[in-house]
Structures are given as C-alpha cells and as structure tokens.
Amino acid sequence: MPPPPPGGGYAPPPPGGGYVPPPPPGGFAPGGMGYAGQRTDGLAIASLVIGIISIVCSIVCLGIVLGPTAAIMGFISRQRISTSGGALGGGTLALVGLILGIIGFVAGVGAFFGYIYLGSLNNTIASPTP
C-alpha cells in the first residue's frame, strides 16, 4: 500500500476497492468480544448429582454402589480441573460430590448392617436344642 500523501488530503482506497469500516467508537473492542468463560466440568456435576442420590437411596442400601461411584467421579474431576490450566471450573462441585459419595457409602453400609441387626432381633424361629 502506498504511503499517504504529504500534508493530509485524500488517501486512495485500498487495492481491490474493498470497504474498510471505521474503527469502533472509543478505540476499543465492544463488550462481548473477550475470552471465553470457564466451562464447568461435566464430571463434577455428575459427581454432585450421584452423591446426592447416594445419600437419598442409602435407605435401601444403594449408597453402597452409588457412593463410591460419586467419590471416584469427584476425584477424577478434581484432577482434570487442576490439570486444565484454568480452562475447566467446578472444583467445589467435584469436592462436594466426593464428600457426599463417601457419606452415602457409609450410610448405605450402616443401613445394611442395621437391617441385619433388626432382622436378628425379630427372628422368632426357635432353634432346636439337642
């Protein structure tokens, strides 16, 4: 592109005759054109949901299966978030899911042994004596 003529004046259009839009007012880019925000890790959300379900379902001993699932998912999600370099968010969700998974597992095991104990108290069948 040739340099502008001395003393101001008219500058010829760029080669190819294309339209060059004026710069945005204020000299900076408009508001929505920055970096993308953090994505929340889907595994962290899944860990939280499964952790809540494990506590609710620990009454019927499903916490024994769902609790470790939530804890493992939360642990893996925390590792993924820490190695993402700030691209992934949701570390708190993953931690809460991990903790709820552990609580759901302990509650499920407690319910299991509680049912066994209550079943032994209600045993009305007498054992024969020799």
Side-chain angles (χ1 to χ4, degrees):
M1 184 160 157
Y10 173 75
Y19 171 74
V20 178
F28 55 89
M33 303 186 68
Y35 292 105
Q38 270 188 340
R39 286 188 317 120
T40 302
D41 189 20
L43 203 57
I45 296 170
S47 171
L48 179 65
V49 170
I50 299 293
I52 293 170
I53 293 172
S54 74
I55 289 178
V56 172
C57 295
S58 65
I59 296 169
V60 291
C61 299
L62 283 177
I64 295 173
V65 176
L66 296 176
T69 304
I72 291 169
M73 289 169 63
F75 182 76
I76 292 172
S77 176
R78 283 180 50 87
Q79 286 183 339
R80 285 173 48 174
I81 291 168
S82 65
T83 59
S84 72
L88 289 176
T92 305
L93 297 176
L95 180 64
V96 171
L98 189 144
I99 292 169
L100 290 178
I102 292 170
I103 292 171
F105 175 74
V106 170
V109 169
F112 176 76
F113 285 115
Y115 292 143
I116 299 240
Y117 178 72
L118 289 175
S120 68
L121 290 179
N122 292 332
N123 188 2
T124 57
I125 301 173
S127 42
T129 54

